[in-house]
């Protein structure tokens, strides 16, 4: 039982953080986009949105429907191919600071005024020796329909 405690303690640690999102504003039927600032702790990496093997958990951003903003394409940065001792072939990963770009369309019938779109960023962090349980971070995007 004592052997499990260090692993459990590590599994609650945040290896990836999402910065504050700027408020977006747009008119009905207009397209808007936001850069989501992401930072991976030094010494760690997360699998890219297109991991090297199907069993690896990709970084993925999803949005819940608000009725006012319709989620569109998510643009991920170009991943790095990194070789780690625990893998036979290079892995497609993100490290350090990067941005994910989320595109939206303001609904034609969106009510004027402020709101908040809620999304999730799911990832699996690893270091050069092990991978940790996947985590999901909630993202809040303030918006203004003009």
């Amino acid at each position: 039982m004592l052997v499990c405690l260090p692993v459990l303690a590590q599994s609650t640690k945040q290896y990836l953080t999402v910065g504050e999102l700027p408020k977006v504003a747009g008119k009905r039927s207009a397209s808007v986009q936001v850069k989501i600032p992401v930072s991976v702790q030094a010494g760690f990496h997360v699998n890219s949105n297109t991991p090297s093997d199907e069993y690896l958990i990709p970084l993925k951003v999803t949005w819940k429907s608000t009725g006012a903003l319709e989620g569109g394409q998510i643009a991920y940065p170009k991943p790095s191919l990194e070789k780690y001792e625990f893998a036979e072939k290079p892995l497609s990963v993100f490290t350090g600071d990067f941005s994910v770009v989320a595109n939206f369309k303001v609904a034609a019938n969106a009510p004027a005024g402020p709101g908040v779109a809620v999304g999730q960023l799911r990832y699996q962090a690893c270091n050069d020796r092990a991978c940790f349980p996947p985590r999901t971070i909630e993202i809040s995007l303030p918006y203004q329909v003009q």
Side-chain angles (χ1 to χ4, degrees):
M1 184 71 167
L2 292 176
V3 175
C4 295
L5 290 177
V7 173
L8 289 174
Q10 287 182 348
S11 69
T12 60
K13 188 172 182 184
Q14 287 282 27
Y15 302 106
L16 178 147
T17 55
V18 175
E20 189 172 337
L21 302 186
K23 186 175 198 172
V24 296
K27 296 181 179 180
R28 292 178 185 97
S29 301
S31 295
V32 294
Q33 72 174 203
V34 64
K35 286 186 179 182
I36 303 167
V38 180
S39 182
V40 178
Q41 184 179 333
F44 293 86
H45 65 270
V46 296
N47 296 315
S48 77
N49 59 304
T50 55
S52 304
D53 283 310
E54 61 184 47
Y55 69 88
L56 297 172
I57 296 169
L59 180 116
K60 184 175 182 180
V61 174
T62 56
W63 295 94
K64 297 176 185 173
S65 176
T66 67
L69 291 185
E70 301 165 0
Q73 182 179 1
I74 305 292
Y76 298 91
K78 183 178 181 189
S80 299
L81 286 177
E82 303 284 340
K83 180 70 175 107
Y84 297 96
E85 286 184 29
F86 60 83
E88 289 184 25
K89 62 182 178 178
L91 300 179
S92 176
V93 300
F94 297 131
T95 58
D97 298 331
F98 59 93
S99 293
V100 175
V101 178
N103 294 281
F104 298 91
K105 183 174 182 183
V106 181
N109 61 350
V116 176
V118 177
Q120 294 183 325
L121 184 146
R122 181 168 166 82
Y123 70 94
Q124 182 172 31
C126 305
N127 61 22
D128 61 352
R129 295 180 307 281
C131 288
F132 302 95
R135 295 188 56 107
T136 301
I137 295 176
E138 189 169 280
I139 306 168
S140 295
L141 172 63
Y143 64 84
Q144 176 77 33
V145 176
Q146 299 171 332

